[in-house]
Amino acid sequence: MTVTTDNFSIEAAAAALADMRATRPLVQNITNFVAMTISANVLLAVGASPAMVHAPDESADFAAISSSLVINIGTLSESWVDGMRRAILQMNEDGKPWVLDPVGCGATPYRTAVAAEFARLSPAIIRGNGSEIMSLAGASGAGGKGADSTARSEDAVEAAKALARETGAVVAITGATDFVTDGTIVVAIEGGDALMPLSTALGCALSATVAAFAAVRAPFEAAVSALAVYAAAGAVAATDLKGPGHLPAALCDALYAIDGATLAANASIRVEAA
Amino acid sequence: MTVTTDNFSIEAAAAALADMRATRPLVQNITNFVAMTISANVLLAVGASPAMVHAPDESADFAAISSSLVINIGTLSESWVDGMRRAILQMNEDGKPWVLDPVGCGATPYRTAVAAEFARLSPAIIRGNGSEIMSLAGASGAGGKGADSTARSEDAVEAAKALARETGAVVAITGATDFVTDGTIVVAIEGGDALMPLSTALGCALSATVAAFAAVRAPFEAAVSALAVYAAAGAVAATDLKGPGHLPAALCDALYAIDGATLAANASIRVEAA
Amino acid sequence: MTVTTDNFSIEAAAAALADMRATRPLVQNITNFVAMTISANVLLAVGASPAMVHAPDESADFAAISSSLVINIGTLSESWVDGMRRAILQMNEDGKPWVLDPVGCGATPYRTAVAAEFARLSPAIIRGNGSEIMSLAGASGAGGKGADSTARSEDAVEAAKALARETGAVVAITGATDFVTDGTIVVAIEGGDALMPLSTALGCALSATVAAFAAVRAPFEAAVSALAVYAAAGAVAATDLKGPGHLPAALCDALYAIDGATLAANASIRVEAA
């Protein structure tokens, strides 16, 4: 596919959403313990079919029947990394897309090493916050504060471009403004709400959503579409909330109900550089 | 106990609920990572006492003090299977009931093999969706789509009867209509809501609820009673919801509040074949 | 610090809360699978920065950048205990506080042995229910019923004092009334709601909250402040609820919004013995 700026619009995102729902892709999640329930619920609400299958004894067999895969290293350990590696290799062998979420990259040497190894294994898309992307790109020593970002998303755009060129992956940085790049074109997505970082693992569940869209679109369009849908749903969900407590449930309701009009009213997509 | 059709009625289910709440059974859960929190909350809400204890170092010791046990293979791995096996053997040695939830049976060879091994270890009750039950019964090559069912519950009734006869377990298939059989009698339960499959692990939490009832009733009555209570609570919970987001919380509230009248108004039990 | 009865008041708790929020401490959680999501959400809502990092390959490296640590043995297993031990030793080496939550201590020999080993490794604070504290103190054979307490908190005060003197830790017993002691002074905290034990892992999330406060206050003040804030938020959260279902979300909203006036109106602190 030739990527042009025509690929990125609210209309294109709405069409990708419709196709994804019609396909109901089976998305394999090898993700962290905190993110599992909300990831599954987000995927079900938006219209995909989630499965959590991580064991080395079966992760590749399951990858063989999955439409796409998300690898999230939030609570990694040795046997999980083994299971992740096997699933990744199967997806690559079958030519199916997988998404890398390098949670906390930069926080410990182990985590950084695993993230870097996986980044070299041809993920279709890498999604992280500013600190994680900068760390993974080797662009900074951004120490990281757990899964929270200490860098703004805009500060990581150059690192993201470098990381995209180095790995061949589309790179998405999420924050107050989201950015997606293939190393050349940069697309910005606006939406969401300031409450979102105060509810755990919503970024992880977004990575899972990106994987769902990657089952029906090329990586760049998939990432932009998923981020726009999520940004709009987050904005809708946060309306009338008094705090972050009910946000996960409200987000699922918003994802379940979202349509083209709601998407257009609550998110925007613009091509920043080409 | 001689099973007759007199055992199955809303009144019998309400009496089982009252007895379960009065007993507040300690239910050991060795379940998947996605289902743990909702299973614990469902058990607390309906009136049981949940515990999650899986390690091989202690699972049998804990089984020795538990009233019943649920084994759910949703996110199985080698050491977890070891812990499950030890807990099962202890329950069997002590003559206490345990429930098997063969999540995703049929999706990978590993998963199918573990489910089949456990089915031979005398579970009191096996609960799954249509695809899982058909796969476990060897009745079909139903490949399965993660934890979602690709078969309707009614399509799996004959497989369930065969599985019940083969294993000696009572087999429950849940779906739009639920069915429970001992291989001879088939009981159907109506209730619930179409939103329920869109909130993750509610089937897993139902298996835990079945285990709670198995602490105070023989397997067939326990399964029918638990399914009826859950079906009624699900119907109540889904009232006025705009999507699946708040369903887990609403379900817990409905289980906490449910009484005989609400049960009668929101679920039905009928004996289909004897 | 010399502990005097002047250290314990609603005003002191409100000041500790403000300092904690201003600091936004990075709290490392090695906790059980059921408690992870709610612990992270509670920490985010109250104003701390949570991270879940347990693997032996990185738990000590992460402890080196954390402000405080909570160790919760709810779903322990061999490799997790290894990761816990390494994180504890790093915190001790760095002179930073960590909190022990001995979930289910007394229920199995393995669990009791691990809890007793950790209690000897100089936790700043130990928080548990009555049964757990009594079991850990060796004060009783309180068998325990999963994570539920079979003893009232007031029955465990003498055991808590003995445990505090033996370990050097501040010991907190939570229940209808909460008690905190260093072995000499006993402080009682009132608040909360009877629904709280019916929502899973709220005690575990409280232990994580205690760890957040331990990053900005000495152990005794940290424990009393955290318990008072949580008791007030719990009382606020339970207002108008029809059951336990929405309690976790409502609790997060209440923690997010809590201020000195709400704290004063919904919790009380009194020094019982000095």
Side-chain angles (χ1 to χ4, degrees):
Chain A
M1 193 188 83
T2 304
V3 172
T4 75
T5 57
D6 296 342
N7 298 106
F8 310 112
S9 67
I10 291 292
E11 292 70 29
L17 173 64
D19 285 356
M20 190 276 292
R21 283 174 170 162
T23 307
R24 196 171 157 74
L26 176 57
V27 181
Q28 182 175 0
N29 294 253
I30 310 185
T31 190
N32 69 73
F33 299 118
V34 185
M36 285 193 185
T37 301
I38 184 63
S39 294
N41 279 331
V42 156
L43 287 171
L44 287 167
V46 77
S49 178
M52 275 62 190
V53 178
H54 71 282
D57 286 306
E58 63 169 356
S59 65
D61 287 334
F62 202 87
I65 60 167
S66 297
S67 302
S68 58
L69 166 72
V70 58
I71 296 291
N72 176 308
I73 64 167
T75 53
L76 79 179
S77 61
E78 197 181 347
S79 72
W80 280 69
V81 169
D82 185 18
M84 291 173 182
R85 203 179 279 121
R86 293 173 190 230
I88 289 169
L89 297 179
Q90 184 66 51
M91 295 306 280
N92 286 350
E93 192 175 314
D94 296 346
K96 294 185 295 195
W98 64 278
V99 175
L100 174 62
D101 187 334
V103 179
C105 183
T108 70
Y110 177 56
R111 194 166 284 257
T112 307
V114 170
E117 176 200 338
F118 287 170
R120 285 190 298 270
L121 295 178
S122 303
I125 301 159
I126 301 172
R127 192 215 63 85
N129 63 37
S131 295
E132 291 157 356
I133 295 302
M134 290 169 77
S135 170
L136 187 55
S140 93
K145 243 185 114 181
D148 288 351
S149 187
T150 54
R152 295 180 311 159
S153 53
E154 45 267 58
D155 298 333
V157 171
E158 289 311 311
K161 290 170 75 172
L163 182 61
R165 286 190 296 262
E166 188 184 314
T167 60
V170 166
V171 177
I173 321 158
T174 54
T177 301
D178 299 335
F179 300 93
V180 184
T181 183
D182 62 354
T184 305
I185 299 176
V186 176
V187 177
I189 296 100
E190 305 278 357
D193 189 274
L195 280 178
M196 293 183 83
L198 296 183
S199 182
T200 198
L202 295 193
C204 303
L206 170 53
S207 293
T209 305
V210 169
F213 279 82
V216 297
R217 284 294 183 277
F220 206 156
E221 275 192 85
V224 171
S225 300
L227 267 57
V229 167
Y230 211 75
V236 170
T239 310
D240 302 326
L241 292 185
K242 292 180 295 179
H246 293 277
L247 182 55
L251 178 64
C252 288
D253 278 357
L255 288 166
Y256 176 74
I258 201 164
D259 57 19
T262 312
L263 182 53
N266 291 280
S268 68
I269 295 171
R270 69 175 183 277
V271 180
E272 294 227 318
Chain B
M1 193 188 85
T2 304
V3 173
T4 76
T5 58
D6 296 343
N7 298 105
F8 311 112
S9 67
I10 291 293
E11 292 69 31
L17 173 63
D19 284 357
M20 191 276 292
R21 284 174 170 162
T23 306
R24 196 172 157 71
L26 176 57
V27 181
Q28 182 175 359
N29 293 254
I30 309 185
T31 189
N32 69 73
F33 298 120
V34 185
M36 285 194 185
T37 300
I38 184 61
S39 293
N41 278 331
V42 157
L43 286 172
L44 286 167
V46 77
S49 178
M52 274 63 190
V53 178
H54 70 282
D57 286 306
E58 63 170 356
S59 66
D61 287 335
F62 202 87
I65 61 167
S66 297
S67 302
S68 58
L69 166 72
V70 59
I71 296 291
N72 176 307
I73 65 167
T75 54
L76 79 177
S77 62
E78 196 183 347
S79 72
W80 280 69
V81 170
D82 184 18
M84 290 172 181
R85 204 178 277 122
R86 292 173 192 230
I88 290 169
L89 296 179
Q90 183 67 51
M91 295 306 279
N92 286 351
E93 191 175 315
D94 296 346
K96 293 185 296 195
W98 64 278
V99 175
L100 174 62
D101 187 334
V103 178
C105 183
T108 70
Y110 178 56
R111 195 166 283 258
T112 307
V114 170
E117 176 200 338
F118 288 171
R120 285 191 298 269
L121 295 178
S122 304
I125 301 158
I126 300 172
R127 190 215 65 84
N129 63 36
S131 294
E132 291 157 355
I133 295 302
M134 290 169 78
S135 170
L136 187 54
S140 93
K145 243 185 114 180
D148 289 351
S149 187
T150 53
R152 294 181 311 158
S153 52
E154 45 268 57
D155 297 334
V157 170
E158 289 310 310
K161 290 170 75 171
L163 182 61
R165 285 190 296 262
E166 187 184 315
T167 61
V170 166
V171 177
I173 321 158
T174 55
T177 301
D178 300 334
F179 299 93
V180 184
T181 183
D182 62 354
T184 306
I185 299 177
V186 176
V187 177
I189 296 100
E190 304 278 357
D193 189 273
L195 281 178
M196 293 184 84
L198 296 183
S199 182
T200 197
L202 295 193
C204 304
L206 170 53
S207 293
T209 305
V210 170
F213 280 81
V216 297
R217 284 295 183 276
F220 205 157
E221 275 192 84
V224 171
S225 300
L227 266 57
V229 166
Y230 212 75
V236 170
T239 311
D240 302 326
L241 293 185
K242 292 181 295 180
H246 293 277
L247 182 55
L251 178 64
C252 288
D253 279 358
L255 288 167
Y256 176 73
I258 201 165
D259 57 20
T262 311
L263 182 52
N266 292 280
S268 68
I269 296 171
R270 70 175 183 276
V271 180
E272 294 227 320
Chain C
M1 191 188 85
T2 305
V3 172
T4 75
T5 57
D6 295 343
N7 297 105
F8 310 113
S9 67
I10 290 293
E11 293 71 29
L17 173 64
D19 284 357
M20 190 277 291
R21 283 174 169 162
T23 307
R24 197 170 155 75
L26 177 56
V27 180
Q28 183 175 359
N29 293 254
I30 309 184
T31 190
N32 69 74
F33 298 119
V34 185
M36 284 193 184
T37 301
I38 184 62
S39 293
N41 278 332
V42 156
L43 287 171
L44 287 167
V46 77
S49 179
M52 274 63 192
V53 178
H54 71 281
D57 285 306
E58 62 169 357
S59 66
D61 287 335
F62 202 87
I65 61 166
S66 297
S67 302
S68 59
L69 167 72
V70 59
I71 296 291
N72 176 307
I73 65 167
T75 52
L76 79 177
S77 61
E78 195 182 347
S79 72
W80 281 70
V81 169
D82 184 18
M84 291 172 180
R85 203 178 277 123
R86 292 173 192 230
I88 290 169
L89 296 179
Q90 184 67 50
M91 295 306 279
N92 286 350
E93 191 176 315
D94 296 346
K96 293 186 295 195
W98 64 279
V99 174
L100 173 62
D101 187 333
V103 178
C105 183
T108 70
Y110 178 56
R111 195 165 281 258
T112 306
V114 170
E117 176 200 336
F118 288 172
R120 285 190 298 269
L121 295 178
S122 303
I125 302 158
I126 300 170
R127 190 216 64 84
N129 63 35
S131 294
E132 291 157 355
I133 296 301
M134 289 169 79
S135 170
L136 187 53
S140 92
K145 241 186 114 180
D148 288 352
S149 187
T150 52
R152 295 181 312 160
S153 54
E154 46 267 58
D155 297 334
V157 172
E158 289 310 311
K161 290 170 76 171
L163 181 61
R165 285 190 297 261
E166 188 185 315
T167 61
V170 165
V171 177
I173 320 157
T174 55
T177 302
D178 300 335
F179 299 94
V180 184
T181 183
D182 62 355
T184 305
I185 299 176
V186 177
V187 177
I189 296 99
E190 305 278 357
D193 189 274
L195 280 178
M196 294 184 83
L198 295 183
S199 182
T200 197
L202 295 192
C204 304
L206 170 52
S207 293
T209 305
V210 170
F213 279 81
V216 297
R217 284 294 184 276
F220 205 156
E221 276 191 84
V224 171
S225 300
L227 267 57
V229 166
Y230 211 76
V236 170
T239 310
D240 301 325
L241 293 185
K242 292 181 295 180
H246 292 277
L247 182 55
L251 178 65
C252 288
D253 278 357
L255 288 167
Y256 177 73
I258 201 165
D259 57 19
T262 311
L263 182 53
N266 292 280
S268 67
I269 295 171
R270 68 175 187 277
V271 180
E272 294 227 318

